[in-house]
Amino acid sequence: MLDSVTHSTFLPNASFCDPLMSWTDLFSSEEYYPAFEHQTGADSNCLKTSGIKGQDCPSHSRASLQSSHLWEFVRDLLLSPEENCGILEWEDREQGIFRVVKSEALAKMWGQRKKNDRMTYEKLSRALRYYYKTGILERVDRRLVYKFGKNAHGWQEDKL
């Protein structure tokens, strides 16, 4: 695939993106690198990776969810309904309680972000539980439900 890249196709596409992006980020398409299983409806639009066809650079907006920490990625997903696609939802917005609705889709999105195609929800949830010790998340005694703790920031409506 990369053999077919010419000077004329590279320059226009390189000008709109971060120079540190990889070749596959610039020139990937769904037919060569499927992001997820093929899905129908609104989910299929949300879970595709951006390539040349999209003409948008994922590193230039907050909605692109370029967070380096898992809890920030989750927070940004909750705050971006257009990116969320029903994967996470607020249970009690004022108290910071949220629920994971589509656990495997969340794991795939996070794995794709971290370039780890073997990410599972079991691994992701273990990482989320480590945030209990730092006060970023607090324990909620319900399955797939989490709460932002005192050390998490940027999720409260009045403090945005």
Side-chain angles (χ1 to χ4, degrees), residues 101-112:
V101 179
K102 299 176 184 175
S103 57
E104 289 307 316
L106 178 63
K108 284 187 182 287
M109 281 182 85
W110 178 243
Q112 186 176 38

Side-chain angles (χ1 to χ4, degrees), residues 19-33:
L20 298 177
M21 289 182 72
S22 70
W23 282 86
T24 53
D25 288 336
L26 283 172
F27 293 100
S28 66
S29 65
E30 187 102 10
E31 52 268 78
Y32 290 106
Y33 297 100

Side-chain angles (χ1 to χ4, degrees), residues 66-70 72-73 110 114:
Q66 290 295 313
S67 308
S68 61
H69 298 286
L70 175 57
E72 293 172 322
F73 174 76
W110 178 243
K114 300 307 270 184

Side-chain angles (χ1 to χ4, degrees), residues 23-153:
W23 282 86
T24 53
D25 288 336
L26 283 172
F27 293 100
S28 66
S29 65
E30 187 102 10
E31 52 268 78
Y32 290 106
Y33 297 100
F36 300 98
E37 305 88 46
H38 291 284
Q39 298 183 5
T40 58
D43 288 347
S44 64
N45 293 330
C46 298
L47 300 178
K48 289 181 184 173
T49 57
S50 296
I52 291 175
K53 294 176 186 172
Q55 293 296 315
D56 55 336
C57 181
S59 65
H60 287 136
S61 68
R62 180 174 181 201
S64 68
L65 307 171
Q66 290 295 313
S67 308
S68 61
H69 298 286
L70 175 57
W71 78 270
E72 293 172 322
F73 174 76
V74 168
R75 176 201 63 198
D76 293 348
L77 254 183
L78 283 163
L79 297 176
S80 304
E82 67 279 356
E83 299 276 343
N84 189 331
C85 303
I87 293 173
L88 297 167
E89 67 181 28
W90 289 107
E91 289 218 337
D92 187 337
R93 179 77 166 90
E94 285 84 33
Q95 291 190 17
I97 300 173
F98 62 93
R99 182 168 58 97
V100 177
V101 179
K102 299 176 184 175
S103 57
E104 289 307 316
L106 178 63
K108 284 187 182 287
M109 281 182 85
W110 178 243
Q112 186 176 38
R113 175 62 30 85
K114 300 307 270 184
K115 296 182 177 18
N116 177 1
D117 57 347
R118 294 180 10 216
M119 178 59 65
T120 63
Y121 183 73
E122 288 76 21
K123 295 174 186 176
L124 184 141
S125 64
R126 181 182 175 101
L128 286 173
R129 289 191 300 272
Y130 277 114
Y131 288 122
Y132 295 156
K133 293 180 182 177
T134 60
I136 290 173
L137 291 178
E138 293 178 12
R139 189 177 311 271
V140 176
D141 290 330
R142 289 196 314 246
R143 192 173 181 279
L144 301 173
V145 178
Y146 300 90
K147 178 181 179 179
F148 287 112
K150 63 183 185 302
N151 293 330
H153 55 82

